[in-house]
Amino acid sequence: MAEIRKSEGFIDWLDQRLAVKAFMRVMMTEYWIPKNINFLWAMGVVLVILFGVLLVTGLLLLMYYKPDINLAFDSVNYTIMQEVEYGWLWRHMHGVAASATFLIIYIHLFTGIYYGSYKKGREMIWITGMVLFIAFSAEAFSGYMLPWGQMSYWAAQVITNLFSGIPVIGDDVVIWIRGDYVVADATLTRFFMLHVVLLPLVIIVVIAVHFYSLRFPHVNNQDSVEFDFDAESKKFLDGDKKESKVVPFWPVFLSKDFFVVGFFMTIFFALVCYHFDFAMDPINFEPANSMKTPAHIYPEWYFLWNYEVLRGFFFDIGGMAAMDIGLIAFVIANIVFMILPFLDRNPMNTAPAHKRPIFKYWFWLLVCDMIVLTVYGKLPPTGMNAWVGFVAAVIFLGLFIALPFITKHEAKGDEQ
Amino acid sequence: MATCQKRRDFIGMALTGVTAVGGVCALGAMKKSWDPLPSVQSAGFVTVDISTIQEGEARSFQWRGKPIFVLRKSADTPKNAKRDVVIGEKIFTLVIGLCTHLGCIPSYDAKKKSFICACHGGVFDASGINTFGPPPRPLDIPPFKISGETLVLGEEGEEYKKLIAKKA
């Protein structure tokens, strides 16, 4: 053990026992961030704040929520909304933050794609980020079910039924996941466990890994220029702050982040106080009824693109059942972003999309296609809508099939 | 020294073995904890009276938490010998009312004489055969037994076995 001397103060006392000064240097004051990045790089910190909001409001809701099919609906819609002081605030903050988290995740994700931040040494950041996306999706889905409303009940019924697509054991797996032949009390209590304990733990661990993986290849920048972080940070420490291309995470970079967070939180609380229902479905204010399906089922807005890929294939092709094609497409849609670093075959070019000759069209086509999928995911799948959904789903898959060829071609152009 | 190393290897392997066996058993126990409870599994048999169903009317009952559709076919509804349940002169379609795509409940449209699932646009004819959309197979037939004009759901009667045999 190191020699412990009489401390000069509280921080020094802690430093002798936990090395807090070294920790702060590595994590904050000497964690270097490039100067040439824009507000889109603040989305990570916005997400951290949102996750904090979800955690704290979740704890407050947890004190009154009852995970029982006979009590759940009223514990949310009566006890929390009417009786608990400020219960409405926690609920609306929790609900709006869930939606906002996905909005910011999508911005975060498309920023990464646009600036090529998934490439060349940053694969682990990208993959852990996509693991987080999947964990958040599971968290959102399990939480959506808890108020036991009509739409959340049927969403749970439909999503758990997806597992029946697994060959041979599918139907048994569905019963196993639900703990009953239909979505019932056993399903509610286990989803409750997932939502409040297991998945938040997983998310916290993966967030830690995501941050850790960011410390080595460093943050990408707007112009994708490579520079020597050691040399640049030395300049900064030597007092040449103007010449240096980097700033420390704390306090310089975070001060800019806090501005973005402040701006975002203004909008967030405007939504919470005046438009808390923008992400809430009226059908979910009817108690769940296992004997009656709502006329039209659709998920929350952030899963619509995925949902439309699932149901886009509505006719059999070459002896394959429409349902199986849809399921396969759905599974591909869920994992294809994760392997993006390996689909982009242009190793040289980490430039932002607007500087890449072909990739820029690919990127904007992807964004447009996902917007189309999202819009049509909410519309009834009949007549013309079904065909638009089909074409958009095919384009979505096609884009990812084409990506390796496009980027390979692009790479050849770069060499010339 | 050599014997000592051997002894350590043995202790290491023994420890690994015990841990592995314990781990597998624990996983098995965890899997079983997620299985449906005995009280759920035994919620098996329901008796329903179908004598009052009118021609062309579809009624739904609940069995194991699932909706069961009983449609009494009218004279102009197409028949399907492979799926019809005949009691005297009455002809019924008896199916589990969950779309075989993702498990939503379709509704019976008497005019079009078909079960229509709004969720993903699946359509089944009056015999429960899938005619349009993503559903991969006809609506399932629940196990049933006929006694007079009542049905016992959950019990595999003669008629049920015949229907299942015809399918195969």
Side-chain angles (χ1 to χ4, degrees), chain A residues 142-163:
Chain A
S142 57
Y144 185 54
M145 184 185 160
L146 300 185
W148 208 244
Q150 244 320 49
M151 195 56 108
S152 56
Y153 178 87
W154 285 97
Q157 183 89 342
V158 167
I159 300 296
T160 49
N161 222 333
L162 284 180
F163 291 91

Side-chain angles (χ1 to χ4, degrees), chain A residues 14-15 19 36 105-106 122 129 143-144 147 158 160 252 328 354 357 367 404:
Chain A
L14 273 182
D15 190 43
N36 56 334
I105 284 180
Y106 284 130
R122 296 196 178 90
Y144 185 54
V158 167
T160 49
V252 185
I328 293 167
H354 63 262
V367 173

Side-chain angles (χ1 to χ4, degrees), chain A residues 117-177:
Chain A
S117 301
Y118 52 93
K119 291 170 69 172
K120 221 182 179 184
R122 296 196 178 90
E123 293 92 339
M124 281 315 293
I125 307 172
W126 182 260
I127 290 168
T128 53
M130 287 313 299
V131 171
L132 271 177
F133 178 75
I134 291 168
F136 267 108
S137 299
E139 178 72 5
F141 168 59
S142 57
Y144 185 54
M145 184 185 160
L146 300 185
W148 208 244
Q150 244 320 49
M151 195 56 108
S152 56
Y153 178 87
W154 285 97
Q157 183 89 342
V158 167
I159 300 296
T160 49
N161 222 333
L162 284 180
F163 291 91
S164 68
I166 301 171
V168 190
I169 55 166
D171 289 334
D172 293 328
V173 170
V174 172
I175 293 173
W176 184 72
I177 290 172

Side-chain angles (χ1 to χ4, degrees), chain A residues 56-208:
Chain A
V56 173
T57 55
L59 290 174
L60 289 158
L61 293 172
L62 190 52
M63 294 195 296
Y64 291 97
Y65 174 75
K66 293 192 172 69
D68 179 308
I69 55 170
N70 299 311
L71 306 171
F73 187 83
D74 284 342
S75 75
V76 174
N77 290 296
Y78 177 70
T79 312
I80 290 173
M81 290 302 289
Q82 312 278 335
E83 282 200 296
V84 178
E85 287 203 60
Y86 291 99
W88 59 270
L89 179 65
W90 312 132
R91 192 210 180 173
H92 288 155
M93 280 176 75
H94 202 75
V96 172
S99 247
T101 297
F102 277 90
L103 177 68
I104 305 296
I105 284 180
Y106 284 130
I107 296 174
H108 199 52
L109 180 132
F110 282 112
T111 304
I113 298 177
Y114 190 90
Y115 290 103
S117 301
Y118 52 93
K119 291 170 69 172
K120 221 182 179 184
R122 296 196 178 90
E123 293 92 339
M124 281 315 293
I125 307 172
W126 182 260
I127 290 168
T128 53
M130 287 313 299
V131 171
L132 271 177
F133 178 75
I134 291 168
F136 267 108
S137 299
E139 178 72 5
F141 168 59
S142 57
Y144 185 54
M145 184 185 160
L146 300 185
W148 208 244
Q150 244 320 49
M151 195 56 108
S152 56
Y153 178 87
W154 285 97
Q157 183 89 342
V158 167
I159 300 296
T160 49
N161 222 333
L162 284 180
F163 291 91
S164 68
I166 301 171
V168 190
I169 55 166
D171 289 334
D172 293 328
V173 170
V174 172
I175 293 173
W176 184 72
I177 290 172
R178 291 175 181 165
D180 203 326
Y181 302 103
V182 288
V183 171
D185 197 55
T187 326
L188 178 65
T189 46
R190 67 188 51 182
F191 273 50
F192 175 69
M193 178 281 286
L194 290 172
H195 185 73
V196 303
V197 185
L198 185 58
L199 290 171
L201 278 181
V202 169
I203 287 173
I204 289 167
V205 170
V206 183
I207 286 176

